[in-house]
Structure formats: structure tokens, C-alpha cells
Amino acid sequence: MIDYRAARLRMVDYQIARRGMTEPAVLEAMKAVPREQFVPEALRDRAYDDTALPIDNDQTISQPYIVALMAWAAELNDSHKILEIGTGSGYAAAVMAELGGWVTTIERIASLADRARTRLQRLGYANIEVKSGDGSVGCEAEAPFDAILSAAGSRIVPTAWKQQLAIGGRLVMPLGPLGDQQLVKIVRTGNADFTQKALVAVRFVPLVGGTS
Ligand code: SAH
């Protein structure tokens, strides 16, 4: 019988804190979410490996370190309204929800969205709404967002995401062609003003419907 809690604490220490991501709130959130509940049953013993893992429908649950890095870069706090594109298993949404605030997450594959919604409810997350649909157009009805995080990569920054960011809001996403993506942080500093900074090279699945 694997001690998942011990494995989780080791993962946070070795894979995240010792790599320099030491923001206490993010570390606490990563310690709180039972990642083994978000991976296929056959891969449970690998839930805390330092890697992305396959989930259903040929998609992936992101590497823990990258989830932590994205949450940190997005500067999430408990009064924030957050949009995630690419719910997948729901793991990253749960980490964001642990940081507080309200998370809207959109998944284009309806069966994945349904399973994530059921899983997140079972685990008691009341501050996440899972929607099924095309997230490349964001979620106009609930904009503006303090933070937008995408788990799917695109060659361009979708215009809707920039428009749906609050002034001062952060957009964290994989940008660039497949095989040459960078995780970038874009900050809306004024109505038409944005800054952009590359954080690290990454490999994410393509944003379907966007220009990937
Ligand atoms: N955050 C997820 C990782 C999911 S991988 C987790 O923690 O498990 C990226 C997801 O983005 C996939 O499930 C894929 O189906 C979804 N996706 C790709 N293009 C999309 C789009 N246009 N709108 C919504 N979801 C999309």
C-alpha cells in the first residue's frame, strides 16, 4: 500500500521547493491536492513522478512542477476570478481552487469535462465550475478575469483571452509552435498595453480551435 501523502510531501520538497519555487501558498496548495485521484487507476503508483502522465482521450495531466510554476506566475489569491482553459483531469483547477478565489475551467472534450466535474465535486471543491466547450474564445459571460491559465499551447495569443483579462491581470500560457513552446506570462498593464515574459521551455498539447 503506497503512502500517497508521504509521496506528495516528498514531491513538493524535491520537485518544487528545491527547484526554487518556494512561494508558501503554492507549496501548501500542492501539498493539499491528492494527485493520485486525478490519474488513471493503472498509473496511481506514478502519480507523484516528476513528469506529465497520460489521462483519457490522449490528453495529459501536467507535470507537478509546471502546475506550481503556472499558479505562482499567475499570482493567484483568494479574491481572484480565474479562468483555466483545458480542464483535463481537473488537477490544476484543484490546485488553483486551493489558493482560493473562483475558478472557471473549460474543456472541449465533454467526457473529460464530465469526469473532472464529478471528481472535483467528490473531493469537495465548491469553488470550481467546469464547463464543456471551446476555451479558445475564453468565457465572455464571466469576464474580466484576474488570471487566465491555459493548459493547451497556441502559436498566437488568442485575442479573446487578452480582452477578457482585467487591467493588472495575468495570462500564463504555452506559446509557440509544437516542439518549440515557451511558458509565457503576459500582464495587462493598461487597456491596450501588455507586457510579456518567457519563463521556461515547455511541451503542452495543442489548443484545438486556436492557431496551434
Ligand atoms: N489542466 C489539465 C491538463 C490538461 S491537458 C490537468 O491538470 O489535468 C490540456 C487539455 O486542454 C486537454 O484536456 C484538451 O482536451 C484541452 N483543450 C485543448 N484545446 C482546447 C480548447 N480549445 N478549449 C478547451 N479545452 C481544450
Side-chain angles (χ1 to χ4, degrees):
M1 187 63 195
I2 295 177
D3 183 344
Y4 288 116
R5 188 168 176 279
R8 183 155 64 248
L9 298 183
R10 263 198 315 276
M11 175 274 277
V12 171
D13 185 13
Y14 283 89
Q15 299 173 31
I16 301 176
R18 293 191 195 200
R19 282 197 183 119
M21 212 309 303
T22 55
E23 171 64 36
V26 174
L27 297 181
E28 285 310 308
M30 298 293 295
K31 283 180 194 166
V33 181
R35 185 169 162 95
E36 74 277 6
Q37 301 283 329
F38 292 81
V39 303
E41 202 150 348
L43 295 178
R44 283 220 169 136
D45 58 346
R46 295 186 53 202
Y48 293 98
D49 285 7
D50 193 10
T51 180
L53 289 171
I55 55 172
D56 295 336
N57 303 77
D58 292 328
Q59 303 302 324
T60 52
I61 175 172
S62 309
Q63 180 189 8
Y65 174 68
I66 295 295
V67 173
L69 196 64
M70 291 179 76
W72 165 75
E75 300 171 36
L76 307 182
N77 78 30
D78 60 8
S79 63
H80 281 156
K81 229 162 88 178
I82 303 157
L83 175 67
E84 182 195 30
I85 295 91
T87 314
S89 68
Y91 175 72
V95 170
M96 295 175 212
E98 288 287 345
L99 287 157
W102 176 260
V103 182
T104 301
T105 178
I106 308 179
E107 170 58 54
R108 60 175 281 273
I109 301 174
S111 59
L112 275 182
D114 290 345
R115 257 168 285 148
R117 190 181 298 112
T118 306
R119 178 180 292 129
L120 291 164
Q121 272 167 6
R122 176 167 49 80
L123 292 171
Y125 288 100
N127 54 338
I128 304 175
E129 181 187 16
V130 180
K131 287 178 181 272
S132 164
D134 178 10
S136 69
V137 294
C139 182
E140 180 65 45
E142 290 177 35
F145 296 97
D146 302 295
I148 300 179
L149 296 91
S150 177
S154 170
R155 277 177 192 273
I156 56 134
V157 183
T159 312
W161 299 357
K162 290 168 91 170
Q163 285 168 347
Q164 292 173 21
L165 263 189
I167 307 288
R170 289 79 51 203
L171 164 59
V172 181
M173 65 172 288
L175 185 64
L178 283 183
D180 188 22
Q181 295 172 340
Q182 296 279 332
L183 189 67
V184 298
K185 173 177 179 174
I186 293 167
V187 182
R188 186 172 197 177
T189 52
N191 202 28
D193 302 318
F194 296 84
T195 62
Q196 181 174 320
K197 192 168 113 186
L199 303 174
V200 64
V202 285
R203 187 187 291 254
F204 275 81
V205 300
L207 179 75
V208 177
T211 310
S212 53

